[in-house]
Amino acid sequence: MVSRSFVIAVFARKNSHYCSTINREEQLITALSKELDIEALFTIGYNGTNVIKGLKEKLSKTRKSIQDLLDDVLRSGRDRDLILDELTEVLILSDIGYATAEKIIAAVRTDIRKSDSVDSIRSALQAALTGLLLPYSGDEIIPKAGSVYLFVGVNGGGKTTSLAKLAARFKEKGLDSLLVAGDTFRAAAREQLSIWGKRINSPVIQGPYEADPASVVYDAVQSYKARGTDLLLIDTAGRVHTNANLMNELEKIRRVLGREIEGAPHEIFLVLDASIGQNAVHQAREFLKFSGLTGIILTKLDGTAKGGSVVGIVDELKLPIRYIGVGEGLEDIHPFLPKEFVDALLS
């Protein structure tokens, strides 16, 4: 049996973002052995089996929806061209979107021969999906003290919950967060963040109802500097995604942050609800009018059969999906891993 140190070292080499500031291997091994669940690491082994198994369970609705359609087509006994035409329909029905589905099937078509088996077609489909997602995969955020993260998106998409989950995740890494209730318009928005703050033992800054959000953020920045908290995480309004005034508010917040803290905001997360499928793409197009988006958090993947929208969103927006939300628990937010995601859906 291989040693724990060897497994940790191998894992680290494949996940260099865990150790960008560590130079010597023995330091790396020591640091990782404290950071990671070693028993889980052995369970995962070298191929991420445990990760894929967990995703399969969380993505069960989307997985079943795609697999049922896919199996019907691949077992039909039709010739290759008819199968590929029907696969296009499967992808569209899975909320991937027409243009993206056409692009994927074109890649599959060039990757197989007419004499290839059904298994070869399935493998080519997995490769095409993975190849489309990989260029826009984003490494997990490695938070650094002094960082400011802004969360934007439509009401009901999961901004506040995602913010709290990431704050809890960062706290596990030894960094405390100051949370800011920048949505001063939605009923109970401030109260919702306050409840999360108590749950994860993080302070929350909030202003009066209907106060100017940029003013609330300015006050929060002063408190952040005075407290010396590691991270500043800011929730924002999302009343109507087509509302130009909302985009102006977000730009004003961004300017305030940039003026008060060098380089801020350091990440701007667009939070989208996966359960609304292609409508999430339409929402996202509006938020692309707001400059500076650095990545997407896709929520509610566990409760929908429309998880295929992940592929269409990435292809359309050309933004990395940083995290996916797959449950109500604090731990149910994970870095997005394209290969593992595709494997969980199709393997």
Side-chain angles (χ1 to χ4, degrees):
M1 183 174 176
V2 295
S3 70
R4 290 172 183 268
S5 295
F6 176 77
V7 173
I8 295 169
V10 170
F11 183 86
R13 291 190 192 103
K14 293 187 176 183
N15 298 270
S16 58
H17 55 277
Y18 277 108
C19 48
S20 58
T21 61
I22 302 176
N23 297 317
R24 298 177 61 195
E25 187 164 291
E26 56 266 33
Q27 290 177 313
L28 170 61
I29 291 169
T30 300
L32 281 170
S33 63
K34 293 177 181 177
E35 179 73 15
L36 301 173
D37 180 344
I38 303 306
E39 295 304 324
L41 192 60
F42 272 96
T43 304
I44 293 169
Y46 303 107
N47 59 10
T49 301
N50 205 42
V51 173
I52 295 171
K53 181 181 177 183
L55 270 177
K56 281 182 178 178
E57 293 171 356
K58 294 291 187 179
L59 300 173
S60 59
K61 291 186 178 180
T62 296
R63 174 180 167 78
K64 186 178 187 308
S65 173
I66 292 178
Q67 288 281 11
D68 287 350
L69 292 168
L70 192 59
D71 289 344
D72 286 345
V73 171
L74 293 179
R75 293 172 183 169
S76 65
R78 298 183 180 93
D79 66 38
R80 190 200 69 160
D81 288 336
L82 281 175
I83 286 177
L84 292 180
D85 288 342
E86 292 187 4
L87 279 181
T88 305
E89 295 179 19
V90 168
L91 296 178
I92 293 169
L93 289 171
S94 302
D95 261 81
I96 285 176
Y98 178 79
T100 304
E102 288 280 306
K103 185 181 299 184
I104 291 166
I105 294 303
V108 173
R109 199 180 295 274
T110 60
D111 198 34
I112 61 173
R113 300 184 298 270
K114 286 193 175 183
S115 58
D116 281 345
S117 67
V118 166
D119 287 340
S120 296
I121 296 176
R122 185 187 290 270
S123 296
L125 179 60
Q126 284 185 251
L129 285 166
T130 304
L132 188 147
L133 292 171
L134 275 175
Y136 305 104
S137 62
D139 291 335
E140 179 175 9
I141 300 299
I142 306 301
K144 297 178 181 178
S147 295
V148 178
Y149 301 149
L150 189 64
F151 294 73
V152 304
V154 176
N155 285 346
K159 286 194 306 294
T160 306
T161 301
S162 296
L163 182 155
K165 288 179 178 180
L166 282 185
R169 190 177 183 92
F170 297 153
K171 186 180 284 285
E172 289 179 353
K173 298 180 183 296
L175 294 173
D176 289 325
S177 300
L178 178 62
L179 315 183
V180 184
D183 184 354
T184 60
F185 298 96
R186 179 169 63 91
R190 297 171 303 159
E191 291 76 8
Q192 182 187 6
L193 191 61
S194 293
I195 291 169
W196 275 114
K198 290 176 182 176
R199 184 175 173 184
I200 63 176
N201 196 28
S202 293
V204 176
I205 299 294
Q206 55 182 300
Y209 182 65
E210 293 189 343
D212 175 24
S215 175
V216 174
V217 169
Y218 175 82
D219 290 343
V221 168
Q222 308 316 309
S223 178
Y224 170 66
K225 291 177 178 178
R227 293 166 183 252
T229 312
D230 297 314
L231 306 171
L232 186 64
L233 275 58
I234 303 166
D235 195 12
T236 61
R239 299 185 304 284
V240 183
H241 64 276
T242 56
N243 189 335
N245 289 336
L246 173 59
M247 301 304 159
N248 291 335
E249 286 172 10
L250 295 176
E251 290 288 357
K252 187 176 177 182
I253 289 172
R254 192 169 67 86
R255 289 195 300 271
V256 168
L257 290 170
R259 186 176 65 240
E260 296 298 318
I261 300 174
E262 184 178 357
H266 302 97
E267 296 282 348
I268 303 178
F269 296 117
L270 173 59
V271 183
L272 296 173
D273 177 357
S275 69
I276 63 174
Q278 281 294 299
N279 284 332
V281 177
H282 302 319
Q283 290 181 358
R285 287 194 194 114
E286 294 299 325
F287 277 92
L288 284 176
K289 298 173 184 176
F290 171 56
S291 59
L293 296 176
T294 58
I296 295 167
I297 298 175
L298 202 57
T299 66
K300 308 181 186 179
L301 272 168
D302 58 309
T304 181
K306 297 182 177 182
S309 60
V310 170
V311 183
I313 287 168
V314 169
D315 186 45
E316 170 92 14
L317 304 182
K318 304 297 189 288
L319 281 173
I321 294 181
R322 296 289 195 181
Y323 294 93
I324 54 175
V326 289
E328 294 298 323
L330 276 174
E331 72 284 357
D332 288 326
I333 189 166
H334 304 287
F336 178 65
L337 305 171
K339 185 179 185 305
E340 287 77 0
F341 179 82
V342 174
D343 287 349
L345 289 182
L346 299 181
S347 62

